[in-house]
Amino acid sequence: MCTVTFLPLNNSDFVLTSNRDEQTIRKPALSPTIYNVHNSLLVFPKDLQAEGTWIATSGIQFTLCLLNGAFKKHERKGSYRKSRGLMLLDFFKYNNVNAFLNGYDFNDIEPFTLLILNTGGRHPQLTEVRWDGEIIYPKEIDTTVPHIWSSATLYNKETIAARENWFTEFLSKQTTYNENTVLDFHHFGGNGDRGNSLVMNRDNVVRTVSITSIARKNNLTNMIYKDVINEKLYSRRIC
């Protein structure tokens, strides 16, 4: 939930990739499978602790991805009304960005950044939604250029800026890019600093536990899930 990149391909095609950085005491997630959620067939890895997820796709239209925190590191409360991972899945009650933003109760949910990618129309639309605990900040993102996000709860402004530079350097070396080249960046990107590289490890207390990549090409969507801890790779094709 802590590093995400979006890379546009041709037409409505894209690659969206997420590194999940978590406390090692948290229950491991289930590898991606198909679930029926709010009458939508979705593919996502399931967080066993809260029963939600940080990334999900319906394949045809919506792909959502979650990062912890909004604009800066916040002070956590002892408990919240609902987990952010369940909030992500609740989007599929609406299947409409404006209806979700206007109708959903975000009260007492921990701050987050939610990316909502809609590829159901002629041109893809990407909405960045930040919730700071009090106010929702929606923003339309240009889907014709690549983007990178890093969690505000784990990375300070200097580290976030450094990661943006690594991403820019990676892109400058690519004539074309695909799922495999993006996965390489998400696995090996950085400057050798284990605490802040894309696959990070802070004294085995917080570390990158998985990498999930969703690629849409020629009306087919594929999810690759890499369990970094156990070095296992899963792939699932979604129509």
Side-chain angles (χ1 to χ4, degrees), residues 3 6 26 59-60 73 76 80 82 100-101 106 112 120 124 138 142 158 165 169 198 234 236-237:
T3 308
F6 168 80
R26 193 178 183 94
I60 296 172
K73 188 174 182 179
R76 293 196 67 195
Y80 290 89
K82 174 170 278 194
F100 176 64
L101 295 180
F106 295 99
F112 62 79
D142 184 357
E158 291 75 20
N165 289 336
E169 183 179 358
L198 269 76
Y234 305 85
R236 184 174 286 276
R237 179 64 58 86

Side-chain angles (χ1 to χ4, degrees), residues 6 15 30 33-34 41 61 66-67 72 77 87 92 94 118-119 141 149 159 168 188 192 200 213 216 230-231 234 238:
F6 168 80
V15 181
L30 292 177
T33 191
I34 299 174
L41 290 179
Q61 185 169 11
L66 182 71
L67 295 94
K72 61 183 180 180
K77 300 193 315 184
M87 176 275 305
F92 293 93
Y94 301 84
N118 182 354
T119 53
I141 303 296
W149 295 262
T159 302
T168 299
F188 301 109
M200 57 87 85
S213 186
R216 182 167 175 80
N230 297 303
E231 297 184 346
Y234 305 85
I238 310 141

